[in-house]
Amino acid sequence: MPVWKIHGDGRNVAPDQVVKPEERLNWPATFAIGAQHIVAMFGATFLVPIITGFPVSTTLLFSGIGTLLFLIITRNRLPSYLGSSFAFLAPITAINGGGALETPQQIGQALVGVLVVGVLLAGVGFLVQAVGISFVDRFMPPVVAGSIVALIGFNLAPAAWNNFTLQPELASVTLIAVVLFSVFFRGFLGRISIFLGVIVGYIVAIFTGQVTFDGVAEAAWIGLPDFHLAAVADPGAWAFAPMFLPVVLVLIAENVGHVRGVATMTNDPSINKHTGRALIADGVATTLAGGFGGSATTTYGENIGVMAATRVYSTAAYWVAGFAAILLAFSPKIGVIFNTIPAGVLGGVTTALYGLIGVIGIKIWVDNRVDFSRPVNQYTVAVSFVIAVGGFAMSWGAFQLGAIVVGTVAALLIYHLGNAIARWRRSGADDGGPIPAVGPLGGDPE
């Protein structure tokens, strides 16, 4: 069992200090902070299985187990909660024509893609641990990384619209609530605006008679989650697998960003040496989830927000959150209640969520000062975005490459081949690196 040093008096954190990963406050305070992490992860984590058709309880189980595995593999030095990854929404729903999965066969086929991504991510983690992160930076520079992250979000826009149109009034109320909460509240409450927006939409749906509770009373309070096995023996499942491959790049970007963020906020550069272990851990957690019916996992920005607000980076709080998620998973009634959320609420919240995925990609460009006066950078983004938004696809018989795969390949080819040609010809069209900073790029007002 891990052992943490008590920070200060165990109750307070001085304004110029943080509680480091190897430290903790007293146990009542640690449990309270762990509860905040549960709330922070919950809003997004349960939405993924509802949107994709995966079992909610199973997703929570492997989210909790994945978090504990992450802490173990990173030697209890890297605080993180592994929640459901939104990057998988597009390839999973593509299996059923853009809608939630409806049959055990479809779930089994989707799990093969999740399994493949998990194994590849773990493999990249071992490579990074051995040789360092520089080769990833060269293969996926900021303009490419931002494009891939953003195009996944924008490719999902039609799915959000499909749900939105089913109950447009309810969807509008939910979306407005999400936006208002994000700008009205400060600190932690503002960071869980998605979760609060879902609550508002759900309450409105109940009072307007748009929620049915059939099956809730019959569901048991305690029981096993609904497990599914990856359909590794199904040739049709492997035909879908290529659609999942670009997600590996997204998970790499998310995990690398998470490690660097924690290292910066704790003022401890040594945390960066755990980047490889973070990738291995997320890969193992995703592989395990993919093998038995849970949603794929990733590090969560929502929980980064909790740490930033509390200045408590203790891994002890994440052990609390991980065990709590596992306990919640053994309540079928909770899973049934989540499944009563109407399509309108999902349409409203996913309109914001999918757009935010796109914004994360754009933020990568801003943070790295990508020079969009260079043609290589312009066309890398322009072509990949139109492919994603337009839903371009390529097929050879039963084998099909969806828009995310095609867009990702286009971004990589245009950037690397374009740079090679531009530098050979000395045309000045290549990526010349970050533009010089001319002043503050943003920040909180004084």
Side-chain angles (χ1 to χ4, degrees), residues 4 9 35 40 47 52 94 124 141 215 233 241 253 275 322 326-327 343 352 385 415 428 442:
W4 297 269
D9 61 4
L47 275 177
T52 59
V124 171
T275 299
I326 293 172
L327 291 176
F385 270 28
Y415 181 83

Side-chain angles (χ1 to χ4, degrees), residues 157-238:
W161 175 241
N162 289 339
N163 277 327
F164 203 103
T165 55
L166 294 175
Q167 296 169 307
E169 295 84 5
L170 183 58
S172 298
V173 168
T174 304
L175 178 58
I176 291 170
V178 169
V179 176
L180 287 178
F181 281 128
S182 70
V183 297
F184 183 79
F185 288 118
R186 298 179 180 178
F188 174 66
L189 287 178
R191 293 186 178 97
I192 61 168
S193 59
I194 294 288
F195 180 63
L196 297 176
V198 170
I199 292 175
V200 169
Y202 191 63
I203 292 173
V204 171
I206 291 174
F207 280 103
T208 55
Q210 300 181 73
V211 178
T212 59
F213 292 100
D214 298 340
V216 175
E218 291 78 14
W221 279 106
I222 299 176
L224 290 174
D226 185 14
F227 294 104
H228 294 269
L229 297 178
V232 292
D234 181 358
W238 291 99

Side-chain angles (χ1 to χ4, degrees), residues 94-344:
I95 292 175
N96 193 32
L101 306 180
E102 297 174 343
T103 66
Q105 179 185 11
Q106 290 177 339
I107 292 176
Q109 291 174 333
L111 290 174
V112 170
V114 174
L115 196 69
V116 169
V117 170
V119 171
L120 290 176
L121 183 62
V124 171
F126 282 111
L127 186 59
V128 169
Q129 193 66 19
V131 304
I133 196 66
S134 58
F135 84 96
V136 174
D137 294 334
R138 288 194 298 270
F139 178 70
M140 195 172 61
V143 65
V144 175
S147 298
I148 294 171
V149 174
L151 68 83
I152 287 177
F154 296 145
N155 177 255
L156 289 164
W161 175 241
N162 289 339
N163 277 327
F164 203 103
T165 55
L166 294 175
Q167 296 169 307
E169 295 84 5
L170 183 58
S172 298
V173 168
T174 304
L175 178 58
I176 291 170
V178 169
V179 176
L180 287 178
F181 281 128
S182 70
V183 297
F184 183 79
F185 288 118
R186 298 179 180 178
F188 174 66
L189 287 178
R191 293 186 178 97
I192 61 168
S193 59
I194 294 288
F195 180 63
L196 297 176
V198 170
I199 292 175
V200 169
Y202 191 63
I203 292 173
V204 171
I206 291 174
F207 280 103
T208 55
Q210 300 181 73
V211 178
T212 59
F213 292 100
D214 298 340
V216 175
E218 291 78 14
W221 279 106
I222 299 176
L224 290 174
D226 185 14
F227 294 104
H228 294 269
L229 297 178
V232 292
D234 181 358
W238 291 99
F240 291 119
M243 295 191 301
F244 289 78
L245 297 182
V247 178
V248 177
L249 302 179
V250 179
L251 296 184
I252 291 171
E254 288 178 339
N255 278 277
V256 171
H258 178 86
V259 175
R260 289 175 176 171
V262 173
T264 300
M265 290 186 290
T266 59
N267 195 28
D268 184 2
S270 68
I271 288 177
N272 285 316
K273 70 180 182 181
H274 295 289
T275 299
R277 290 184 178 275
L279 294 168
I280 294 169
D282 194 9
V284 170
T286 295
T287 302
L288 185 63
F292 297 99
S295 298
T297 62
T298 188
T299 52
Y300 253 32
E302 290 88 339
N303 296 91
I304 281 278
V306 174
M307 290 190 288
T310 61
R311 290 180 288 117
V312 176
Y313 298 85
S314 171
T315 55
Y318 285 98
W319 282 91
V320 172
F323 277 118
I326 293 172
L327 291 176
L328 286 171
F330 288 94
S331 178
K333 191 177 290 290
I334 290 177
V336 173
I337 291 173
F338 285 144
N339 285 325
T340 64
I341 297 176

